[in-house]
């Protein structure tokens, strides 16, 4: 593996910025209400820091130097992405920031939970195991897996706002004795070697500048004989970087989802093996013959809704729903209730949603490439 330049961590700086930007909104009910009351100066700083990597850099003019610049600031890019997008995620999707498979008639929240249960099942998690969640978000999957498998989970995250929200949600559900959340960069974990019985990552390690780098860190902190499982975001091997349409889909996904460098399936398989793991199982779960594709909520397809409660989730993703939110957020910005830039962030997420659907329909992209691997004894 070529050496990867790591960003210098400054937890005090990050905590101070999160406090300045979000204020007391981490304690507010999730979603739309949390978008209110952000500090406009800090919001602008986060916007400028994030969108400097994307503004006026389309797929036709993108260079390797542009991609390397994003990789060099992988941690800052990801941290500010989630400073900007977390509340929008909770509003539009819930507290488990990932996709899932859908069985016939299965409600959205049930399908999300089943996807988490399946990962725990494939890992063979048992009561009392000490487990690491790499890139834990606001803790939705950790809470579900802790309840399902009876394990104790440490959530690793480089975004202070998400850590604060995750801690609050765990306490609300009476799970504080099973769950804890810690600040850190998954490319340079502070945990001692051989700490965890098992490690998982759900659509999070895609933010790494090098999959081999993050997988190597996971290998180090995992006990000998321990299992690592991941749902990875990848371009499939049908992706052709010389095809302008393919590049545009990839770039729009990366921009709208805070990704510095997304790679292909073959590269991820090579990376996990190079980190030292024995790969026990791997497959693209998006290729399973499910009754509804993983991207159906983003496509705004009401014909595929599994329950009445899903109407509101899908409605928010239709062109009408997105257009309504675009105008509403713009109005809130104008009157000073929402901070400037909220609309720009929402529009970037919408563009990514269209690219995710296109990538899924054309079999160029998967958000659920499952790899289950073991550290040798």
């Amino acid at each position: 593996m070529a050496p990867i330049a790591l960003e210098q961590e400054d937890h005090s700086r990050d905590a101070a910025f999160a406090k300045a930007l979000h204020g007391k909104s981490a304690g507010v009910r999730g979603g739309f209400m949390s978008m209110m009351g952000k500090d406009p100066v800090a919001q602008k700083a986060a916007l400028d820091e994030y969108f400097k990597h994307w503004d006026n850099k389309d797929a036709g003019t993108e260079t390797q130097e542009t991609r390397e610049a994003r990789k060099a600031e992988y941690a800052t890019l990801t941290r500010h992405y989630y400073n900007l997008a977390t509340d929008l995620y909770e509003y539009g999707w819930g507290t488990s920031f990932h996709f899932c498979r859908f069985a016939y008639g299965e409600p959205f929240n049930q399908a999300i939970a089943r996807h988490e249960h399946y990962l725990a099942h494939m890992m063979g998690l048992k009561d009392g195991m000490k487990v690491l969640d790499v890139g834990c978000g606001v803790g939705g999957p950790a809470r579900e897996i802790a309840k399902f498998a009876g394990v104790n989970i440490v959530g690793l995250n480089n975004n202070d706002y998400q850590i604060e929200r995750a801690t609050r949600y765990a306490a609300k559900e009476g799970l504080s004795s099973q769950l804890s959340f810690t600040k850190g960069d998954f490319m340079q974990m502070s945990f001692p070697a051989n700490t965890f019985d098992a490690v998982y990552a759900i659509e999070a390690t895609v933010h790494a500048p090098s999959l081999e780098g993050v997988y190597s860190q996971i290998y180090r902190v995992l006990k000998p004989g321990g299992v690592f499982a991941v749902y990875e975001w990848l371009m499939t091997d049908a992706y052709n970087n010389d095809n302008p349409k393919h590049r545009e889909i990839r770039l729009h996904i990366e921009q709208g989802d805070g990704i510095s460098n997304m790679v292909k399936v073959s590269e991820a398989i090579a990376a996990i093996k190079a980190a030292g793991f024995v790969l026990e199982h791997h497959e693209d779960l998006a290729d399973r013959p499910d009754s509804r594709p993983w991207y159906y909520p983003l496509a705004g397809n009401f014909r595929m809704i599994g329950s009445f409660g899903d109407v509101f989730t899908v409605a928010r993703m239709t062109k009408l729903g997105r257009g309504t939110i675009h105008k509403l957020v713009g109005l809130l910005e104008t009157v000073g209730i929402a901070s400037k830039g909220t609309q720009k962030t929402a529009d970037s997420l919408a563009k990514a949603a269209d690219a995710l659907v296109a990538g899924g329909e054309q079999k160029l992209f998967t958000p659920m490439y499952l790899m289950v691997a073991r550290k040798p004894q």
Side-chain angles (χ1 to χ4, degrees), residues 91-148:
Y91 165 75
W93 202 258
T95 61
S96 287
F97 299 168
H98 62 78
F99 293 105
C100 63
R101 297 167 57 205
F102 293 95
Y104 177 78
E106 187 175 36
F108 177 83
N109 287 333
Q110 183 177 318
I112 287 285
R114 180 169 64 88
H115 199 59
E116 295 159 358
H117 297 171
Y118 185 71
L119 189 69
H121 161 72
M122 291 296 289
M123 297 173 73
L125 297 184
K126 306 293 184 185
D127 277 8
M129 292 177 72
K130 186 175 182 178
V131 179
L132 176 65
D133 179 338
V134 178
C136 63
V138 296
R143 295 193 300 278
E144 188 64 34
I145 291 173
K147 290 181 284 189
F148 175 77

Side-chain angles (χ1 to χ4, degrees), residues 131-205:
V131 179
L132 176 65
D133 179 338
V134 178
C136 63
V138 296
R143 295 193 300 278
E144 188 64 34
I145 291 173
K147 290 181 284 189
F148 175 77
V151 294
N152 301 304
I153 299 176
V154 176
L156 179 66
N157 197 318
N158 85 333
N159 183 278
D160 298 83
Y161 180 60
Q162 289 194 341
I163 291 171
E164 191 173 351
R165 292 190 73 79
T167 302
R168 172 176 166 268
Y169 287 138
K172 182 180 179 181
E173 294 190 23
L175 293 169
S176 297
S177 63
Q178 280 181 265
L179 300 177
S180 63
F181 302 94
T182 188
K183 168 83 170 180
D185 176 358
F186 56 30
M187 293 294 293
Q188 45 187 328
M189 297 184 196
S190 59
F191 306 112
N194 308 323
T195 295
F196 297 97
D197 299 306
V199 180
Y200 68 83
I202 299 179
E203 302 183 21
T205 46

